[in-house]
Amino acid sequence: MGIKEDNLKKIFEIMKTLPVFWNGKKSILEMKENNFDQWKQMEWIGFYFEFLCEKYLKGFMEFHKIKYGNTSFDGFLEIPFDFKSHAINTESHRVIINDTEATIKAIEEYGFVIVIMALGEVTYNDVNRTFQKWHEKIKGGKSKYEEERIKRGALSRLRKTEFNLKELRFIKINKGTLERCGSFQKNFRNADGSLRRSKVLLDLEKLKDEEVIKRMKF
DNA sequence: TTAGCACCGGAGCTTACGTT
DNA sequence: AACGTAAGCTCCGGTGCTAA
């Protein structure tokens, strides 16, 4: 149970060298060129962070190795890791983590899991949708889901165009964390109207000092 | 079909303030 | 003081999209 101090230190060292300024178009193209299969996603920042973690920690940490039910953890090195990104220039600092049951099982088996969270300033300036159109074009047109969305008359979300990394926060999650801030979400509606499983929620403001094991400023 | 990515915004509380 | 409503805030359920 737990992780060796040396391994943590190595992770910190590697993560210090991450790029700080992420341009949307460049990031998406980089994922595409490297055949990272999530490059078509609208929330490119979250996936790009995962892509960067895999690129930088490759050979040291393993990825998508452990799985509980249908939920796998992004990284594994003695214990499970999860990579998250979060905009700091927003009101809410509640961050959705993984499937609740899977997280509880991982904690039972390994003692805790670590979330590596990229905090940064997000630019939401795609008001005339030029970024979105560019993305749609390289994706090869509208997806089936989007055609349906238009039929339903639902709004399309505003895209993010840039991310400026300000801090990496390493957060240790155990049973106590779940009880304090991980109010268990229940029954999200899924794309087809069916129900989703509940997930763990992290409230950044409710974390204790000993849970944030490292803050790395950029 | 259900998981991943994470944000959004409305419901419904709480506080502030004007009127009787 | 008691009430009505506006304004501010918090919470958390719902949404958008793609992959396997």
Side-chain angles (χ1 to χ4, degrees), chain A residues 99-150:
Chain A
D99 182 83
T100 301
E101 266 182 58
T103 307
I104 289 171
K105 282 190 178 151
I107 292 170
E108 279 169 359
E109 193 166 343
Y110 298 97
F112 55 92
V113 302
I114 292 180
V115 172
I116 304 182
M117 193 174 294
L119 299 164
E121 267 171 32
V122 170
T123 309
Y124 305 86
N125 67 354
D126 194 33
V127 283
N128 49 17
R129 308 262 177 194
T130 53
F131 178 87
Q132 180 174 2
K133 281 172 196 144
W134 168 86
H135 199 190
E136 182 178 307
K137 197 172 170 193
I138 63 165
K139 286 194 295 188
K142 287 189 170 49
S143 67
K144 198 175 174 198
Y145 185 93
E146 205 180 356
E147 308 261 356
E148 296 292 319
R149 193 213 89 227
I150 292 163

Side-chain angles (χ1 to χ4, degrees), chain A residues 3 5-17 49 81-82 84 112-119 165-173 202 204 207-218:
Chain A
I3 177 166
E5 205 53 39
D6 280 1
N7 278 335
L8 265 185
K9 274 194 184 147
K10 178 100 188 264
I11 293 171
F12 295 158
E13 269 170 41
I14 294 171
M15 296 301 278
K16 255 183 216 153
T17 66
F49 183 51
F81 282 80
D82 209 47
K84 294 284 158 195
F112 55 92
V113 302
I114 292 180
V115 172
I116 304 182
M117 193 174 294
L119 299 164
L165 181 62
K166 294 289 183 192
E167 184 182 335
L168 281 181
R169 211 172 279 185
F170 295 74
I171 303 163
K172 196 170 166 178
I173 297 179
L202 265 196
L204 296 185
L207 291 175
K208 292 187 174 175
D209 288 348
E210 68 263 25
E211 283 166 335
V212 182
I213 58 177
K214 177 94 177 166
R215 286 163 179 262
M216 199 180 284
K217 304 277 187 183
F218 287 84

Side-chain angles (χ1 to χ4, degrees), chain A residues 87-98:
Chain A
I88 46 174
N89 49 323
T90 56
E91 293 297 306
S92 168
H93 297 297
R94 300 160 65 87
V95 182
I96 301 169
I97 314 296
N98 267 341

Side-chain angles (χ1 to χ4, degrees), chain A residues 32-197:
Chain A
K32 182 174 186 283
E33 280 152 19
N34 286 279
N35 300 312
F36 189 75
D37 58 17
Q38 310 281 3
W39 67 271
K40 292 182 180 174
Q41 294 275 6
M42 162 173 80
E43 297 286 357
W44 63 268
I45 293 169
F47 290 100
Y48 188 64
F49 183 51
E50 189 181 339
F51 170 80
L52 286 178
C53 289
E54 292 192 10
K55 179 175 168 188
Y56 281 71
L57 295 167
K58 193 175 170 183
F60 181 55
M61 188 181 275
E62 294 172 275
F63 306 103
H64 301 288
K65 188 195 179 192
I66 62 160
K67 202 174 172 188
Y68 298 93
N70 292 317
T71 303
S72 76
F73 283 82
D74 293 341
F76 186 81
L77 177 65
E78 296 187 83
I79 59 158
F81 282 80
D82 209 47
F83 312 131
K84 294 284 158 195
S85 56
H86 179 67
I88 46 174
N89 49 323
T90 56
E91 293 297 306
S92 168
H93 297 297
R94 300 160 65 87
V95 182
I96 301 169
I97 314 296
N98 267 341
D99 182 83
T100 301
E101 266 182 58
T103 307
I104 289 171
K105 282 190 178 151
I107 292 170
E108 279 169 359
E109 193 166 343
Y110 298 97
F112 55 92
V113 302
I114 292 180
V115 172
I116 304 182
M117 193 174 294
L119 299 164
E121 267 171 32
V122 170
T123 309
Y124 305 86
N125 67 354
D126 194 33
V127 283
N128 49 17
R129 308 262 177 194
T130 53
F131 178 87
Q132 180 174 2
K133 281 172 196 144
W134 168 86
H135 199 190
E136 182 178 307
K137 197 172 170 193
I138 63 165
K139 286 194 295 188
K142 287 189 170 49
S143 67
K144 198 175 174 198
Y145 185 93
E146 205 180 356
E147 308 261 356
E148 296 292 319
R149 193 213 89 227
I150 292 163
K151 269 191 214 156
R152 252 186 303 142
L155 290 172
S156 176
R157 280 209 191 144
L158 203 58
R159 269 39 173 188
K160 298 156 186 154
T161 56
E162 290 168 357
F163 184 79
N164 194 351
L165 181 62
K166 294 289 183 192
E167 184 182 335
L168 281 181
R169 211 172 279 185
F170 295 74
I171 303 163
K172 196 170 166 178
I173 297 179
N174 56 31
K175 278 252 164 84
T177 321
L178 296 189
E179 281 157 22
R180 210 157 355 92
C181 24
S183 75
F184 300 23
Q185 297 278 93
K186 54 172 199 247
N187 301 336
F188 286 28
R189 183 189 169 279
N190 213 326
D192 66 346
S194 65
L195 298 181
R196 302 186 184 199
R197 293 168 58 77

